[in-house]
Amino acid sequence: MAMRTRTWEVVMLLALLVPSTLGWEYEKERGEEHEEEKGGIFLMRNSKQVMKTEGGEVRVMRGDDMRKESSGSMHIGFITMEPNTLFIPQYIDASLILFVRRGEMKIGWIYKDEMVEKNLKIGDVYRIPAGSAFYMVNTGHGQRLQIICSIDTSESLGDDIFQSFFIGGGTYPTSVLAGFDIRTLTTAFNVTVDELRSVMGRQKGGPIVYLKGSDQPGKGVTSLMQLKQRIRSSEVEFWAEDEEEKENEPKQATAWTWRKLLNSILGENRKRKGAVRSPDSYNIYDRKPDFSNNYGWSVALDENDYIPLRRSGIGVYLVNLTAGAMMAPHVNPTATEYGIILKGTGTIQVVFPNGTSAMNTKVREGDVFWVPRYFPFCQIASRSGPMEFFGFTTSARKNRPQFLVGARSILHSTSGPELAAAFDVPEERLKKVIDSQGEGVILPSWPVVDSPFIKTVDSDMVMGFD
């Protein structure tokens, strides 16, 4: 009998704290579906295909217009590259923080006027500043590369998602160099018109292309690394439609032209005494959890953990919840949060400032959600299995979420006569309810108990589980 009374008091307190959530579930039971209108307003459903080729694609989900951050709007990008493909050299008007979801890759970019290359694997986080020329290669043998990235548009030119300025290219995509007068380019490169045209007009495979010699469905191109190696060994071959064209091309002039192209475009300095030391990647899976208990764990990277985040003003996090577990209701006082479900299913609940439900909707792998700064919210894994989600925050400072329920909550810390008066209940009764939860941060699943209230409304349905 004591157990039933205690459970009833917990349920009643939850009803006081989130009445609209329970009311929303009753509406669903009556068949009044508002999933799209009310239940999913903080889900980012607008996926735009920015580019697509035989070698891969880039999709972007735009940040919601409701968000008004001084740092500008953040978008979430998804890059997919087939095995042995190259994302050709470019720079964009936005900063990127890359997270390798699957596969292996090599990224080359200009750091302090020098060309640097880094090998990245699953779990690695890496930053590319706005305006820095870069390229990416899928180096995983027979494995598709999947990258999730934040796109910070605070330095962007306009309202578009981002603007690519392709350095390499030909007819598709067109290199930004092609916009200059032909005499300007021949003078700048110190080459003939024919030599310049033989380089500038050949690429037509798109922004993501297969490397030469791979088993691609279309025609491939020579990789940038191969070109550099051949230049160093004076064994440069040119892209040609057939062997006859290769034989007719001046090999020495071609090698010289490519050396000038690489030196001019990628900043390669063959006379430098030592290679510049660029920032390393940070593997989030190698980090010891900041919090862990029997119900899950969480990791958060800030500017003190990974210095490049300080320059971007963006934080990174990763959370894993066991089946049925809940990230306790909490609020981020310093940042807006973006999340991507990496695996599993569950529920995201968000609350408006006036205490009404802003969102209470189920999510699955691939879904993207965002929660505005100050809005209370929680994430709940379904009973069918664990849920893992990764994301970004709009602050690189140490994130100190304020938990509203649980052993480490604001309610627990402020428990006293003032809080009891606010709820208009005896202090002892309030304390009994608040102290009932012995866990903090990540909470166990909703218990299956015998209660008149639970019989009326199924516990899974009340808490948003499957």
Side-chain angles (χ1 to χ4, degrees):
M1 183 64 182
M3 176 61 183
R4 292 186 180 183
T5 302
R6 183 175 182 181
T7 302
W8 176 250
E9 289 177 342
V10 172
V11 170
M12 289 306 295
L13 179 60
L14 286 173
L16 287 171
L17 292 175
V18 286
S20 60
T21 302
L22 301 181
W24 167 237
E25 296 296 348
Y26 277 125
E27 287 181 2
K28 285 178 66 177
E29 191 176 33
R30 292 201 305 267
E32 298 180 17
E33 295 289 346
H34 300 285
E35 188 77 17
E36 292 299 325
E37 296 179 18
K38 184 177 180 181
I41 63 173
F42 293 114
L43 285 183
M44 297 171 64
R45 301 184 186 277
N46 257 344
S47 175
K48 179 180 180 181
Q49 189 180 81
V50 178
M51 57 186 70
K52 181 176 176 62
T53 71
E54 292 179 328
E57 71 169 349
V58 178
R59 303 192 70 89
V60 175
M61 288 188 173
R62 296 184 66 106
D64 199 283
D65 292 336
M66 288 176 61
R67 199 177 77 76
K68 299 184 182 297
E69 295 280 346
S70 60
S71 59
S73 177
M74 183 195 296
H75 310 304
I76 305 299
F78 298 86
I79 303 172
T80 303
M81 295 174 61
E82 297 298 328
N84 204 24
T85 52
L86 164 74
F87 201 160
I88 70 175
Q90 63 182 289
Y91 62 92
I92 66 175
D93 61 342
S95 295
L96 303 178
I97 294 181
L98 309 175
F99 170 69
V100 182
R101 172 64 178 129
R102 288 190 178 94
E104 298 177 356
M105 63 176 289
K106 176 177 285 187
I107 186 165
W109 66 292
I110 301 299
Y111 177 74
K112 294 184 177 179
D113 298 325
E114 299 288 351
M115 182 69 190
V116 296
E117 293 178 330
K118 294 290 181 181
N119 292 309
L120 307 181
K121 62 182 185 298
I122 293 177
D124 278 347
V125 175
Y126 202 73
R127 177 178 182 262
I128 300 296
S132 295
F134 70 95
Y135 66 87
M136 296 186 290
V137 177
N138 181 354
T139 57
H141 296 291
Q143 188 175 13
R144 179 177 291 173
L145 175 67
Q146 295 181 344
I147 301 170
I148 300 172
C149 62
S150 68
I151 304 172
D152 178 11
T153 59
S154 60
E155 300 176 82
S156 295
L157 297 174
D159 296 330
D160 204 356
I161 295 172
F162 63 85
Q163 180 65 58
S164 290
F165 297 79
F166 290 102
I167 299 173
T171 58
Y172 173 59
T174 302
S175 168
V176 291
L177 295 173
F180 292 101
D181 184 274
I182 189 70
R183 289 171 296 182
T184 300
L185 290 180
T186 54
T187 301
F189 283 118
N190 193 23
V191 295
T192 67
V193 172
D194 289 340
E195 288 173 338
L196 185 64
R197 285 175 175 168
S198 68
V199 172
M200 298 292 293
R202 307 193 65 85
Q203 173 57 265
K204 55 184 178 181
I208 302 176
V209 294
Y210 282 88
L211 300 179
K212 188 175 182 180
S214 65
D215 297 328
Q216 71 273 35
K219 181 177 293 186
V221 298
T222 306
S223 77
L224 228 43
M225 280 81 70
Q226 289 173 328
L227 283 172
K228 289 194 292 183
Q229 291 169 357
R230 290 174 182 177
I231 286 171
R232 294 189 181 105
S233 60
S234 299
E235 295 177 353
V236 174
E237 288 185 54
F238 210 121
W239 301 326
E241 296 290 337
D242 50 44
E243 294 299 323
E244 182 180 355
E245 187 173 352
K246 284 184 182 179
E247 293 176 358
N248 293 334
E249 287 181 352
K251 190 171 184 179
Q252 183 177 0
T254 302
W256 181 62
T257 302
W258 268 110
R259 182 180 296 113
K260 284 184 173 294
L261 279 171
L262 289 169
N263 287 348
S264 302
I265 297 174
L266 299 178
E268 184 172 14
N269 183 0
R270 296 172 57 82
K271 295 182 179 180
R272 65 179 184 270
K273 295 181 179 180
V276 65
R277 179 171 176 80
S278 61
D280 291 325
S281 60
Y282 193 109
N283 193 279
I284 198 167
Y285 287 117
D286 290 343
R287 179 186 173 96
K288 183 179 178 181
D290 300 309
F291 176 85
S292 178
N293 62 12
N294 293 332
Y295 313 107
W297 50 264
S298 65
V299 172
L301 300 185
D302 58 42
E303 60 187 11
N304 296 314
D305 303 309
Y306 187 45
I307 297 300
L309 296 180
R310 182 177 301 170
R311 302 185 184 96
S312 67
I314 293 175
V316 175
Y317 70 89
L318 179 68
V319 176
N320 187 291
L321 303 177
T322 62
M326 173 199 306
M327 178 68 78
H330 60 287
V331 58
N332 287 327
T334 60
T336 291
E337 179 173 318
Y338 293 79
I340 303 97
I341 308 300
L342 298 183
K343 65 179 180 181
T345 60
T347 300
I348 306 293
Q349 297 183 15
V350 185
V351 177
F352 281 126
N354 63 2
T356 62
S357 176
M359 182 174 81
N360 183 8
T361 192
K362 294 179 181 179
V363 292
R364 62 181 184 272
E365 182 176 337
D367 282 344
V368 180
F369 65 91
W370 70 282
V371 183
R373 181 181 181 182
Y374 308 125
F375 279 47
F377 69 106
C378 68
Q379 302 97 336
I380 310 164
S382 65
R383 291 185 183 274
S384 60
M387 181 173 73
E388 183 173 284
F389 51 97
F390 165 87
F392 307 96
T393 61
T394 57
S395 174
R397 297 181 180 179
K398 188 173 182 62
N399 188 29
R400 299 183 184 276
Q402 301 293 307
F403 288 91
L404 304 176
V405 182
R408 300 188 182 187
S409 68
I410 295 174
L411 285 180
H412 194 275
S413 300
T414 59
S415 179
E418 295 81 7
L419 189 62
F423 281 108
D424 193 21
V425 296
E427 186 177 348
E428 289 186 7
R429 181 182 301 176
L430 180 64
K431 181 174 175 55
K432 184 177 181 181
V433 171
I434 291 175
D435 292 346
S436 295
Q437 179 57 264
E439 297 289 343
V441 183
I442 300 178
L443 310 181
S445 62
W446 183 266
V448 179
V449 295
D450 185 15
S451 167
F453 181 81
I454 302 300
K455 285 181 179 179
T456 303
V457 182
D458 182 77
S459 62
D460 277 4
M461 187 183 68
V462 171
M463 297 309 294
F465 293 107
D466 289 333

